[in-house]
Amino acid sequence: MSSRRRLLSLAVVAAIAGAACGDPPDKEMQQAQGAIDAARAAGADQYARDEFTAAEDALKRAHEAVDQRDYRQALNSALDARERAQTAAKESVNGKAKARVDAEKALSEAATALSGAQARLKSIETSAPRSIGGARAVAGARKAIASEEAAVQEARTAFDKGDYRAAIDKAAAATARLHASTRDLDTAVPTTGRRKH
C-alpha cells in the first residue's frame, strides 16, 4: 500500500509540474507588449522600422501559438518579441539622430532654394521688359514661390515637433518645386530680353 501511495504522490507531483509547464506565458507576453509600447514611444516604428515590425510579428506569433496551445512556442516567440522590441528602441536613437541631421540638411537646401527663387523673382521684376508673357510668368512665379514659402515653413514646424521624416519629405518636395519655378521663370523671361540698368 505504501508503494501505491508513493506512485499516487508521484502522479500528483507530475500532474502539477505538467500543469505548470502547460500554462500560457502571460507574463512574458505582457513584458513583450510593454517593450513594444516603449519602443513605439521612442520612435522605433519610424526610425527602426524593420526590427520594430519583427517584434510585433513575434508577439503575434506568440498569441497564435497560445491559441493553438503550443505554450513552448508562445514563450519563445514572446521572448523574441521582447528582445527585438528592446533592440528596436536602441536602434531608434541612432536612426532618429541621423534623421535629424538629414532633416537639417533638407531644410537648409529648401531655405537656399527659396532665397534663390525670391532673389531671381525680384531681379526679373525690376529688370524684365513688361511683355504680356513676362508679366504672366512673373505673376505665376510669385504665386508659386509664396506657396513654397508656406511649404518650407510646414517643414520647419514638422522639424520642431520632432517629426524628422515629414520635415525631410516636405523640405525636399519644396526644394524641387522651387528649382522648377526658377527654371520656368528663366524660360519665360530669357536673359537676353531683360533691360540693363
Side-chain angles (χ1 to χ4, degrees), residues 86-149:
Q86 290 168 344
T87 300
K90 290 174 189 170
E91 285 180 5
S92 71
V93 173
N94 293 335
K96 196 170 189 177
K98 183 184 181 314
R100 180 184 174 97
V101 169
D102 292 346
E104 287 172 342
K105 181 180 175 189
L107 281 169
S108 176
E109 289 172 358
T112 299
L114 179 60
S115 294
Q118 289 170 331
R120 194 79 175 108
L121 178 62
K122 185 175 182 179
S123 170
I124 289 173
E125 285 176 329
T126 58
S127 65
R130 297 295 179 218
S131 69
I132 293 174
R136 285 184 187 151
V138 168
R142 188 182 303 118
K143 184 176 179 182
I145 291 168
S147 175
E148 296 315 319
E149 185 174 10

Side-chain angles (χ1 to χ4, degrees), residues 62-83:
H63 284 289
E64 289 168 355
V66 166
D67 291 343
Q68 296 169 4
R69 296 181 186 255
D70 186 351
Y71 300 140
R72 185 179 301 267
Q73 182 58 47
L75 176 62
N76 289 339
S77 295
L79 294 174
D80 184 40
R82 183 179 67 192
E83 184 178 329

